[in-house]
Amino acid sequence: LGRVSAGMPLYAEENIEGYIYTDLNGGAEYFALRVSGDSMNSARISDGDLIVARRQDTVEQGEIAVVIVGDDEATIKRFYQTDTVVTLMPQSTNPAHKPQIYNLDETHITVIGKVVKVEFMI
């Protein structure tokens, strides 16, 4: 379905690049995104890799999720939530990447999937 930022959230646009085969099943819906950026490289998710996510609207604390920030900006990060705050935590060797903290009273956050597989680029 296109690209997702592994850095600051970028405009999320459904833009089908193609299709891949997956051996994942169980009645769930899956989608794949090409990663752009290095904010998750310590989690072995690097620029250019292809992630496969299971479509779901919740994740457990600390799981890696594809998240829409606001109305149309997508990113991939470790997800943490309290009652009123969401923290999107990078996992990177690049010190420029900092936690992104959002007050849910001010910013709408939507989980669209949990990352379940990474196809590494060679």
Side-chain angles (χ1 to χ4, degrees):
L1 288 181
R3 296 184 179 275
V4 67
S5 173
M8 292 304 291
L10 296 176
Y11 178 70
E13 176 183 3
E14 187 172 298
N15 193 2
I16 297 174
E17 291 182 358
Y19 297 90
I20 63 167
Y21 172 80
T22 182
D23 56 1
L24 300 170
N25 58 26
E29 181 181 346
Y30 296 90
F31 60 94
L33 297 168
R34 180 90 45 210
V35 174
S36 175
D38 67 352
S39 75
M40 294 301 291
N41 64 3
S42 287
R44 299 193 56 186
I45 301 173
S46 299
D47 186 58
D49 286 348
L50 193 66
I51 59 105
V52 177
R54 181 176 48 240
R55 188 172 300 280
Q56 59 188 64
D57 57 7
T58 62
V59 292
E60 299 293 324
Q61 297 283 24
E63 289 186 320
I64 299 174
V66 179
V67 179
I68 302 289
V69 177
D71 293 328
D72 55 8
E73 296 179 335
T75 190
I76 174 176
K77 296 283 180 293
R78 288 206 178 271
F79 183 90
Y80 298 91
Q81 182 174 354
T82 64
D83 288 337
T84 60
V85 174
V86 166
T87 301
L88 301 178
M89 187 70 68
Q91 193 172 343
S92 180
T93 58
N94 182 344
H97 296 291
K98 307 291 184 212
Q100 299 168 24
I101 301 170
Y102 299 96
N103 181 325
L104 293 174
D105 293 331
E106 299 170 5
T107 306
H108 184 72
I109 303 292
T110 306
V111 174
I112 60 170
K114 174 184 170 181
V115 175
V116 295
K117 189 174 183 180
V118 180
E119 298 286 335
F120 303 104
M121 298 306 297
I122 299 175

